[in-house]
Amino acid sequence: MKHRDMKLLNREKILGLLLNHSLLSRAELAQKAAVSPAVVSHIIRECLKEGIVCEDSEGVSRGGRKPILLSFVPDNKLVAGLVPGNTTEFAVSNLSGQLLYKEDIVTKKYPTPSELAVFLKKILHEFLIRNHKSWSQLVSLGIGIPGIYDPELDLIHKMGKISSLFEWEGTKIREIFSREFLCPVLVFDKVVAMAFGEGILSSEDPNVNLVYLHLGRGVGAGLFLNGKIYRGSQGAAGEVGYMVCGPVDEKDPISLHDIPPLESEISLNSILKVFREKCPNSFPNSLRQSENDEVLILHKTFLKGDSQYEAILKSILEKAEGIAVNLVAVLNPDLLVLGGKVTEIFSEILQERIIQRLQRSVLFSPQVKTVTLGKNEEIMCTLFFAIDDYFRRLTGNNQGLTSAFLKRYSSQLWNQ
C-alpha cells in the first residue's frame, strides 16, 4: 500500500475511534488503531490544527504523567438541511445536531430549484457573516424531498402532492444546488432521512430493523433494515401509497404524475376534503380558513367523539392499519415508527389501533411508537443525514458512527 493511502487509512481509523468514544488518550488511540504512538501524534497534530479535535481534559495517571484526553469537536464544522414543501424549511447545525439557524420560506416565491438555491446561498452567506463563520466550515448540504429521487441519475421522478414543487420534477437537484454550494450536496427522499434519524434515536442496536410510516400530506415509508437505508432499484422503495387495500378499478396504467390510489384516500389533503364535504358545519363558509386552522378544527372535532365524524374516520384508520400490517408482515421489523401530520392529529387512537391490529394479524408484532422529535422531525433528520454523510467521508464510509456520536447529546437539544 502506498504511503499516502496508509496515512489516510490511519487517519480514518483514528477519527472513527474519536467519534465512537467520547474521550481517548493518544496511547489508547495507538492501541485501538494498532499503530505507533508517532503516527497518532502526527495525525492528532493535523486534526488539532484543523479544529476537528481538541485536548479536552486530563485522564487518570498510571504511574507517570496524567494523559491528555482527546475529543472530537462538533462546533467547528457546519451542515445545512433543506426540506422543500408549501413552506420550505432550511436550517444549519453543528455536527452534534445543535440547531444554529432555521428559516421557513414560502416556496411559491422561489418556485424553481435554481431560484431557491440562489436565495438560500444569500441567506446562508448572511448567517456566516453574522456568526463569524466561513464557507469552508460548511461540509455538507442535505436536501430531503417529498418525492421519488434516483441518486444514480440525480433525477426527481416524482414530487408529492405539492403544487409549489411541480417544477422540481425531472430536474437534477444535486447539480443545481452544487452550482451555488461548494460543499458536497446530498439529495434523498425525506422519509428516508426520517427512517435514518429514528434508527439513531430509537434503538441502541446499530443493526436495527426499523420501518418509518409517514402519514401526512403524502403517504410513504422509510426502510432502515439491518442498520442500513434500503431505497430499491430506482429509489422508490417504501412508496406505500401505491399499495392495494381493497377493490381497485383502474382502466389506465399508473403514471408517475398521478396521485397514488391509496394516498389519495388517506393523505391529509384528502381527509380535509372529505370532512369539508360531509361535516360542513365544522368548517364555516363565512370564514376563510387556513390549512393550519382546518387541522386544528379537525383535531378538536375528533376529540369531541362525534358519531358522524367517527364513521368517516373509521374507513381512514382501517386503511392506515392495513398499510402497517402489510409492511410488518413482509419486513418483520423490530420497530414501527409513526409520523406525519395525520399521525399527529389522530395519535390518541391511531397508535393504539395499529398495535391491536398487528397483534391480531401478524406472527411477530414489533414495538410501535410515534416520532421522537415532533414538529422538528423532518428538518432535524435531514441534518442528521448530512452529518452522517460527512462522518462517512471522514472515516472511509465507516457505518454506525453518527449513531454513537449523536447519542451523547440530549434530544431536548434538537427539539427546541
Side-chain angles (χ1 to χ4, degrees):
M1 186 179 290
K2 295 180 181 179
H3 173 71
R4 184 178 178 281
D5 292 339
M6 179 61 75
K7 180 181 176 181
L8 182 61
L9 181 62
N10 288 334
R11 177 186 165 94
E12 290 171 351
K13 288 196 305 188
I14 287 168
L15 286 171
L17 287 166
L18 288 170
L19 287 170
N20 205 34
H21 301 81
S22 55
L23 294 169
L24 289 173
S25 67
R26 288 171 173 82
E28 288 171 323
L29 284 169
Q31 182 182 20
K32 290 178 181 294
V35 297
S36 70
V39 167
V40 171
S41 294
H42 178 71
I43 291 171
I44 291 299
R45 190 159 51 245
E46 289 183 344
C47 293
L48 288 169
K49 188 175 180 181
E50 291 173 38
I52 58 175
V53 170
C54 72
E55 294 182 331
D56 188 280
S57 57
E58 291 185 337
V60 177
S61 172
R62 296 182 179 178
R65 294 172 58 186
K66 290 182 178 181
I68 301 297
L69 300 180
L70 302 158
S71 66
F72 189 87
V73 177
D75 299 321
N76 198 41
K77 301 294 181 184
L78 305 170
V79 297
L82 172 66
V83 181
N86 284 328
T87 298
T88 291
E89 293 183 279
F90 178 69
V92 180
S93 80
N94 63 13
L95 296 180
S96 66
Q98 181 181 9
L99 203 58
L100 304 175
Y101 175 78
K102 186 172 182 293
E103 181 87 15
D104 291 334
I105 302 154
V106 179
T107 305
K108 63 183 179 182
K109 291 184 178 180
Y110 309 96
T112 69
S114 298
E115 289 173 298
L116 183 61
V118 170
F119 174 69
L120 293 180
K121 180 181 180 182
K122 175 178 176 292
I123 63 174
L124 181 56
H125 182 68
E126 292 168 354
F127 162 81
L128 294 172
I129 291 173
R130 283 196 309 273
N131 291 274
H132 310 289
K133 305 284 187 182
S134 69
W135 278 97
S136 63
Q137 290 175 276
L138 184 69
V139 294
S140 189
L141 168 64
I143 304 177
I145 64 162
I148 302 173
Y149 174 76
D150 188 332
E152 296 297 322
L153 299 175
D154 182 27
L155 182 67
I156 293 180
H157 291 300
K158 175 181 174 60
M159 291 299 269
K161 191 178 180 181
I162 301 174
S163 59
S164 303
L165 299 177
F166 285 163
E167 293 194 49
W168 289 53
E169 288 188 6
T171 57
K172 293 183 174 291
I173 296 300
R174 188 172 61 233
E175 180 181 310
I176 290 168
F177 277 83
S178 294
R179 294 177 198 146
E180 307 297 333
F181 294 81
L182 298 180
C183 66
V185 175
L186 189 66
V187 187
F188 41 86
D189 185 333
K190 70 175 183 181
V191 177
V192 167
M194 287 186 274
F196 173 79
E198 286 295 337
I200 288 175
L201 300 174
S202 301
S203 176
E204 294 299 322
D205 182 2
N207 297 317
V208 65
N209 289 295
L210 177 148
V211 172
Y212 169 76
L213 176 57
H214 186 81
L215 303 170
R217 223 174 251 105
V219 177
L223 311 179
F224 193 67
L225 307 178
N226 198 28
K228 298 178 183 178
I229 288 295
Y230 178 74
R231 290 188 175 90
S233 59
Q234 275 81 39
E239 289 294 324
V240 295
Y242 292 96
M243 286 171 56
V244 176
C245 292
V248 177
D249 181 19
E250 290 178 343
K251 298 178 181 178
D252 300 311
I254 290 177
S255 164
L256 279 172
H257 299 286
D258 293 336
I259 303 302
L262 186 56
E263 181 174 312
S264 67
E265 297 180 37
I266 63 172
S267 67
L268 177 60
N269 294 341
S270 301
I271 293 170
L272 286 170
K273 182 181 177 182
V274 169
F275 276 93
R276 286 189 206 106
E277 294 171 353
K278 296 190 176 183
C279 302
N281 292 334
S282 297
F283 300 96
N285 292 327
S286 58
L287 297 173
R288 182 175 177 81
Q289 306 287 342
S290 70
E291 185 179 90
N292 285 338
D293 290 336
E294 289 183 334
V295 167
L296 287 173
I297 291 170
L298 195 60
H299 187 255
K300 288 177 182 177
T301 309
F302 163 69
L303 293 176
K304 289 178 183 177
D306 181 270
S307 58
Q308 182 186 12
Y309 183 100
E310 288 182 348
I312 299 168
L313 180 61
K314 184 172 182 273
S315 172
I316 295 166
L317 293 181
E318 284 176 349
K319 288 183 173 66
E321 292 167 27
I323 294 175
V325 167
N326 289 340
L327 284 170
V328 169
V330 172
L331 298 172
N332 184 213
D334 305 297
L335 187 59
L336 174 67
V337 181
L338 309 173
K341 200 68 179 179
V342 174
T343 297
E344 183 183 327
I345 296 168
F346 304 124
S347 60
E348 293 92 339
I349 188 172
L350 182 61
Q351 182 178 356
E352 180 183 350
R353 285 186 59 129
I354 285 178
I355 289 171
Q356 291 174 354
R357 180 73 179 272
L358 287 171
Q359 289 172 345
R360 295 195 307 268
S361 305
V362 298
L363 291 172
F364 304 102
S365 186
Q367 179 188 351
V368 180
K369 67 182 289 292
T370 54
V371 292
T372 306
L373 294 175
K375 64 179 181 179
N376 280 336
E377 181 84 5
E378 293 184 4
I379 191 64
M380 291 311 305
C381 289
T382 296
L383 290 167
F384 293 164
F385 216 59
I387 291 168
D388 184 67
D389 175 60
Y390 175 61
F391 284 173
R392 284 173 180 265
R393 282 183 274 122
L394 267 186
T395 62
N397 214 31
N398 197 340
Q399 292 183 30
L401 296 177
T402 305
S403 177
F405 186 73
L406 289 180
K407 278 192 169 72
R408 297 177 205 167
Y409 301 93
S410 168
S411 61
Q412 292 179 347
L413 179 72
W414 308 318
N415 211 5
Q416 294 172 349

